[in-house]
Structure formats: C-alpha cells, structure tokens
Amino acid sequence: MAREQLQVLSALDSAKTQLYHFTAIIIAGMGFFTDAYDLFAISLVTRLLGRIYYFKGGEKPGTLPPGVASSVTGVALVGTLCGQLFFGWLGDKMGRKRVYGMTLALMVICSLASGLSFGNEPKGVMATLCFFRFWLGFGIGGDYPLSATIMSEYANKKTRGAFIAAVFAMQGFGILASGIVALIVSSSFDHAFNAPAYRSNKLDSTAPQADYVWRIILMFGAIPAALTYYWRMKMPETARYTALVAKNAKQAAQDMARVLQVEIEPEEQKVEKIAHDTRNSFGLFSKEFARRHGLHLLGTTSTWFLLDIAFYSNNLFQKDVLSGIGWIPPANTMSAIGEVYRVAKAQTLIAIFSTVPGYWFTVFFIDRMGRFAIQLMGFFFMTVFMFALAIPYHHWTQHENRIGFVVMYSLTFFFANFGPNSTTFVVPAEIFPARLRSTCHGISAAAGKAGAIVGAYGFLYASQSTNPKKTDAGYPTGIGIRYTLIILGVVNALGLLFTFLVPEPNGKSLEEMSGENEEDIEPTSNTTNRTVPV
C-alpha cells in the first residue's frame, strides 16, 4: 500500500517547468561539457605528442610507444572510474551539494595542470600528463552520479527524463568544442609558422611552437568549469536528500519553498515516521536490496559496460578508423600541426552531424517514447551499422566509397546518443532509493568506465593491421579494423539483450520506482517495476 507522499516531494513532482529547471541544467550541464571536452580532447593531440617527443626520422613520423599511448589515453578513464565510485558513495553520505564543488574544483585545477610538465624530456612530460589526467578523471567521475542525482531529484515527474538527458547532452557540445578549439589553435599556429610536410622535411615538419598547441587545447577545458563554480555552490541541497536521508523536514520545505516560490508545510511528523520505518533502511549489500533492486543494478551496470566498450572505442580512435579508409591523409603528407587540424576537422564534422543531434533527439523523445524503447532501438541500430561496416569492409576502403563509410560510421554515433549512451545515464538516477541513489549511479557509471577502459586499451592493439609492415611503431600485429568492428557489433548485440533487465521509469515518481513510499512491501513487489518478466 502506498504511503501518502510528502508535500515537498509532491510539489516537486507536479511543478510546472520553471526557470530553476533550466538553471540546474546549465549548472550541471557545464560539468558534462567540461567532462567530454577533457576526455576526448586528448585524442586530438596524441599524434602530435608522438611527433614532438618520439621523433626518429624514419619513413613515418614519430608516434607514442604502445605503453605510453595507452596510458595517455586510458589513465583519465581509470581516474573517472575511481571518482565515480568514491564520489557516488560520498554523495549519499555527505549530501549532493557538499560534494558537488569538490569535483568541479578538481577538474579546473587538473585541466590547467595537464598542460604543464616537469622538464621537457619525454619521460617527464608524459609522467606529468598522466598524473594530472588521472586526477582530472577522478573529478570528472564524481560529476556523473552527482549531476544525474541532483537533476533527477529537482525535476518534475512529467519531464524528468528530458531534464536529465539535457544535462548529459552537454557532452555533445563538449566533444564539438574540443574539435573547434583544436581547429582554431592548430590553424592559427599553422598559418603563423607554415611548417612543411613530413616527407618534404622531416625535422622542420614539427615546428618548435607545436609544443604549445597541445598544451593550449588541453588547458582550455578549465574555462567553462570555472565559470559555473559560483552558481554550483549557490544551489540548495535537494529536498529528497534533506527530507529522506538527512531527515530534516523543515530545511527541505524552506529550500523548496524558495525554489518553487510556494508555501510548503514541513510535515515533520511524516518525516519522523519515515525515519523510523525499518523496512526502508536496508543497505546496498543486503538481501533485501538484492531482492528489490539486484536485477535492476545488473541491468544498469551491464548495459553501460557494453555500451562504453563500443562508444569509447569509436570516439577515442575515430582518427585511426578514418585514416584506415583514407578520409584523413597519410601522416607523412602533413606537418605536425596540419595533422592536428585534419583530425580535429574530422571529429568536428562527425560531432555536428551525428553526435550532437543524437543527444538532443533523446532529450526531445525520451518522455514520449520511454527509456526502454530508446535504449533498445539504439543498441539495435548500432549493431546493424557496425556489421554493415565490418562485413564488406574492403568495399568501404575503396576511394569512391569512403564517403558512404563515413556516413554509416556517423550513424553509429547518432544511435549511440539517441540510444543507450543517454539512457544508461538517465535510468540509474531514477530507480534506486534516495539514500543509495548516488552510490548506485556511481557503480553503474563505473561499470561503464570499465567498458571504456576495455575499449580504449583493447582497440589500440586489436585494430593494428595483420601486416607487420603496416602496424604503428612498437605495436604487435592485431586483428585489423574489420574484425575489431565485428567484435564491437557483437558487444552492441549483447547490450540489446541486457536491456531487458532495465525497468521503465517513465511517468513515475522516484519514490514509486524505488518503493520508498510503500508501507506494506510484498515479497514480489519489485516485479512491478520491470519492463518485461525476467
């Protein structure tokens, strides 16, 4: 039997869309703008780092050694995974707002520090870069559970999915911004110093000033985060944390009365009753949690893990895929700075025409179609397009067919974002109890980053050519891009299957989904929240 909802929570659920909703989206979304910028900007400058610090004068320009390349690319993902678990747990222990500023401050400091280095020797530069990118990732990781939880607890019931998805959609603008900043910086330096192509003059093709290019691109990520720090600190704590976790009815009513501009009764006796209800005090590792939410947590972790294997493989190594089909010219036909420009141009075009639109399609349709349908559709089309690229791969490598490849490759990004990349972020913020919501979102997000690490490290080696003469310097032979794409297609198909474990929260209050407003909880009550019988 459902318990009568607290007035402060009912007011939030039924509130009309107001200015504070959009303010919250901007404040939380700027964190994700910065997250995406910092995580994906590194892929634009890894080739430049290889040319600057690992020049050997051979037929091909210098490249980062395998161990260094995987560390530079993957260390921020490892930091993100750790941050998601730590700050997710801390957000439930200390409150969302108190922890929110820590993550942003860490991101600002480490974005700036990523462009600095101890000395100018390769070992010192790479060690510094990896150190600060780990802690940058740690701060980014905290932003995932906190931003999602804050937005879900502020939003109304009718448009909650769109608001949470809009926060996450700022990732698309962050990816786009990293490409645009790289285009502006590289074209400015290229125009000023006009270095020759590598095959024309190996030594002079990397202008000494190229060392500033990667530093400026990475450090720029601190600016948008710093601009929103003050407003993030001014946000009140969410009413659901204050009332249901901190058990402070008066403060929750005061905070939301100010935000919603309505009178709200504190209802201290109701909060006191909830506080002493032992049926809703089970812990994360209890049998009761496993019975009610175990399959839900398995669904959110598994789908996010599988999605990120494919998503981060595609994003971090799209320059290698596009080089493989000839859309980006061979490295020895360009100068070092010119190569940054061409890679950034490719990423920017894909972001404009597929990545960004995909995010916003989710924002517009998520509360109409539901989370389950969008996630199932996204995984289905990602699977289809991966196999369509991989099976006739030789056909796509022909010069006259490469535009078709780019179009279909872009569609995998579109359906990732108008699909599981958005919904895997939204759902864990809606289906777990308030006192465990941030923790469970952090666990789900960390599973995703584990998948991203698998994708980042695995794709780096697997995508190498089967021909030893065509591999990057220092790499063993791999299985090639064709078979790597086939594996990613299988991964997406598995994601589609595990989607059937994920419940549909559309149109329901957070308390309905978590069962926190139930007075009499039957042993089979968790089955009412599933999309299909499991």
Side-chain angles (χ1 to χ4, degrees):
M1 185 176 68
R3 177 190 290 120
E4 186 183 351
Q5 181 80 303
L6 290 172
Q7 186 183 345
V8 66
L9 304 187
S10 296
L12 282 167
D13 281 341
S14 59
K16 293 181 179 179
T17 300
Q18 300 178 33
L19 179 61
Y20 81 90
H21 286 116
F22 296 103
T23 303
I25 288 171
I26 293 169
I27 293 169
M30 267 304 174
F32 271 91
F33 178 98
T34 306
D35 297 350
Y37 183 99
D38 290 329
L39 286 176
F40 295 111
I42 193 67
S43 66
L44 300 171
V45 299
T46 49
R47 290 188 176 188
L48 178 62
L49 290 169
R51 287 195 185 225
I52 295 171
Y53 295 105
Y54 295 91
F55 174 80
K56 294 181 180 178
E59 289 185 15
K60 295 181 180 179
T63 57
L64 295 176
V68 175
S70 57
S71 296
V72 166
T73 304
V75 71
L77 300 176
V78 176
T80 303
L81 186 155
C82 297
Q84 286 163 336
L85 292 172
F86 176 73
F87 285 113
W89 168 79
L90 206 61
D92 284 333
K93 294 299 179 186
M94 293 178 58
R96 297 30 164 152
K97 181 192 171 181
R98 289 178 67 185
V99 183
Y100 212 23
M102 300 180 197
T103 62
L104 201 66
L106 196 56
M107 287 158 59
V108 171
I109 293 167
C110 293
S111 284
L112 292 173
S114 292
L116 306 176
S117 57
F118 300 135
N120 56 6
E121 294 298 316
K123 190 174 289 186
V125 174
M126 295 303 139
T128 309
L129 179 60
C130 289
F131 176 81
F132 285 115
R133 280 191 64 78
F134 172 84
W135 290 108
L136 171 64
F138 195 73
I140 288 171
D143 225 45
Y144 275 73
L146 295 172
S147 289
T149 301
I150 285 171
M151 198 67 243
S152 73
E153 293 181 346
Y154 264 112
N156 61 49
K157 185 164 60 173
K158 186 177 179 181
T159 57
R160 185 179 62 234
F163 286 135
I164 304 172
V167 170
F168 195 61
M170 294 300 287
Q171 259 201 354
F173 289 127
I175 295 170
L176 178 60
S178 66
I180 291 172
V181 169
L183 281 174
I184 293 170
V185 173
S186 61
S187 61
S188 300
F189 275 76
D190 200 31
H191 178 75
F193 303 107
N194 196 26
Y198 182 84
R199 66 186 179 189
S200 301
N201 189 321
K202 295 177 180 178
L203 189 60
D204 291 343
S205 68
T206 305
Q209 295 81 4
D211 196 49
Y212 294 113
V213 172
W214 70 269
R215 297 176 190 274
I216 293 170
I217 292 170
L218 295 185
M219 294 172 80
F220 185 86
I223 296 174
L227 291 175
T228 57
Y229 184 81
Y230 171 78
W231 298 107
R232 188 172 279 203
M233 292 296 91
K234 294 287 286 183
M235 290 180 74
E237 181 59 86
T238 70
R240 284 183 160 89
Y241 180 85
T242 306
L244 299 177
V245 183
K247 308 294 192 287
N248 189 335
K250 188 176 180 181
Q251 187 65 52
Q254 286 177 352
D255 287 344
M256 291 306 104
R258 189 168 65 251
V259 169
L260 299 173
Q261 297 180 334
V262 295
E263 288 292 325
I264 297 177
E265 187 183 340
E267 300 181 300
E268 291 173 300
Q269 288 184 339
K270 280 189 184 179
V271 171
E272 189 70 19
K273 186 178 179 181
I274 293 171
H276 289 92
D277 189 344
T278 57
R279 288 168 297 187
N280 277 325
S281 60
F282 55 85
L284 178 65
F285 299 105
S286 66
K287 289 182 179 179
E288 186 63 18
F289 178 88
R291 183 177 67 80
R292 290 207 220 173
H293 299 292
L295 286 175
H296 298 162
L297 188 59
L298 175 61
T300 59
T301 52
S302 60
T303 51
W304 207 336
F305 173 79
L306 293 163
L307 175 276
D308 272 7
I309 292 176
F311 184 73
Y312 278 83
S313 295
N314 277 352
N315 265 294
L316 292 174
F317 299 105
Q318 62 179 264
K319 62 185 182 300
D320 302 305
V321 174
L322 297 176
S323 295
I325 57 113
W327 202 44
I328 296 175
N332 63 2
T333 64
M334 299 177 282
S335 66
I337 297 174
E339 186 174 27
V340 174
Y341 179 85
R342 293 302 294 263
V343 171
K345 182 180 177 182
Q347 176 169 307
T348 302
L349 287 172
I350 288 176
I352 290 172
F353 292 108
S354 66
T355 304
V356 172
Y359 281 111
W360 289 97
F361 264 67
T362 300
V363 174
F364 291 125
F365 288 105
I366 191 167
D367 290 312
R368 294 176 175 87
M369 294 175 60
R371 289 72 161 147
F372 177 78
I374 289 177
Q375 184 161 312
L376 205 65
M377 176 193 68
F379 270 128
F380 174 78
F381 281 111
M382 287 172 70
T383 304
V384 169
F385 286 119
M386 282 292 183
F387 285 133
L389 290 172
I391 294 170
Y393 182 71
H394 179 72
H395 166 81
W396 297 117
T397 59
Q398 304 301 310
H399 185 271
E400 63 272 15
N401 299 324
R402 60 183 180 173
I403 298 302
F405 180 96
V406 172
V407 170
M408 293 186 69
Y409 186 61
S410 298
L411 285 169
T412 66
F413 288 98
F414 177 81
F415 282 107
N417 296 318
F418 183 31
N421 191 43
S422 297
T423 55
T424 52
F425 176 81
V426 173
V427 173
E430 300 181 294
I431 63 176
F432 298 108
R435 68 187 179 282
L436 299 172
R437 185 168 292 132
S438 179
T439 301
C440 290
H441 194 285
I443 292 170
S444 302
K449 281 300 166 287
I453 293 165
V454 170
Y457 286 91
F459 193 93
L460 189 66
Y461 288 90
S463 62
Q464 294 295 320
S465 174
T466 54
N467 184 345
K469 295 181 180 179
K470 294 183 179 180
T471 60
D472 292 332
Y475 287 86
T477 55
I479 60 175
I481 289 177
R482 177 174 184 254
Y483 287 104
T484 304
L485 291 174
I486 289 175
I487 290 173
L488 295 181
V490 173
V491 166
N492 290 325
L494 289 173
L496 187 149
L497 294 176
F498 277 96
T499 294
F500 287 91
L501 294 176
V502 180
E504 176 57 80
N506 196 23
K508 299 176 182 177
S509 74
L510 298 180
E511 286 67 46
E512 282 181 88
M513 287 305 302
S514 66
E516 287 172 289
N517 65 339
E518 296 296 314
E519 288 189 334
D520 297 305
I521 300 166
E522 298 297 329
T524 58
S525 63
N526 67 321
T527 59
T528 61
N529 283 341
R530 292 189 198 146
T531 308
V532 293
V534 178

